[in-house]
Amino acid sequence: MNYTRFTLVETRLNRLTETIIGCAMSVHSELGSGFPEAIFQRGLGVELAAANVAFQAEVHLPVFYKETSIGSRRADFLVNDQVLVELKATSELTSLNYAQAINYLKAYHLEVALLVNFGESSLRFKCFLHNPSRPLSH
């Protein structure tokens, strides 16, 4: 079992994910809920820029199947070329939202994704980790 490496990946990106979540909290505090996802996306872009965090919005990332690029999909944010940020503005996150984040991690060959929901009265988020040398299920 490669638990040590998995823990190191998680720890290495904690500061970055904390910054992203803090920026999302600022947006939610200012706007509340009830706006379309695009409004929250623009607000988060403003906050990430103010925090001097390198990011790309609405970036097209290659989708891999058996190590072969087979197309691309748009991601809401790619932060520091390391963290995928998927935004929602819905009344609650569902298992389909979770599956989307997990599948994006595998297909994009990334290690960390944040699923952020602005649609509830309190900001909700979930962090997903994927280490290709360690399966997602325990």
Side-chain angles (χ1 to χ4, degrees):
M1 183 185 322
N2 196 0
Y3 184 75
T4 304
R5 178 174 167 179
F6 189 75
T7 303
L8 289 175
V9 168
E10 183 178 354
T11 303
R12 176 173 53 86
L13 296 174
N14 275 350
R15 182 168 287 145
L16 180 57
T17 56
E18 288 171 3
T19 299
I20 297 165
I21 293 165
C23 290
M25 287 179 169
S26 293
V27 172
H28 194 271
S29 292
E30 183 73 24
L31 295 176
S33 59
F35 289 100
E37 183 182 310
I39 296 297
F40 295 112
Q41 183 180 29
R42 292 177 195 137
L44 185 56
V46 169
E47 286 295 326
L48 290 171
N52 293 316
V53 174
F55 70 92
Q56 298 170 318
E58 296 191 14
V59 61
H60 286 269
L61 295 173
V63 175
F64 291 93
Y65 174 77
K66 294 187 175 183
E67 305 305 317
T68 301
S69 177
I70 58 171
S72 68
R73 294 283 301 167
R74 183 192 60 81
D76 290 326
F77 286 97
L78 182 61
V79 179
N80 275 5
D81 291 326
Q82 297 174 305
V83 178
L84 174 74
V85 181
E86 183 63 29
L87 305 182
K88 301 295 178 193
T90 185
S91 60
E92 68 179 292
L93 293 174
T94 68
S95 59
L96 290 175
N97 300 133
Y98 297 165
Q100 179 187 25
I102 291 167
N103 290 334
Y104 279 7
L105 279 181
K106 293 190 292 187
Y108 295 152
H109 287 186
L110 294 170
E111 293 177 310
V112 179
L114 285 174
L115 179 61
V116 181
N117 186 22
F118 289 96
E120 299 180 56
S121 58
S122 295
L123 183 79
R124 300 281 181 206
F125 61 89
K126 184 151 179 75
C127 184
F128 297 89
L129 302 173
H130 176 242
N131 183 328
S133 66
R134 179 185 160 101
L136 284 172
S137 59
H138 301 334

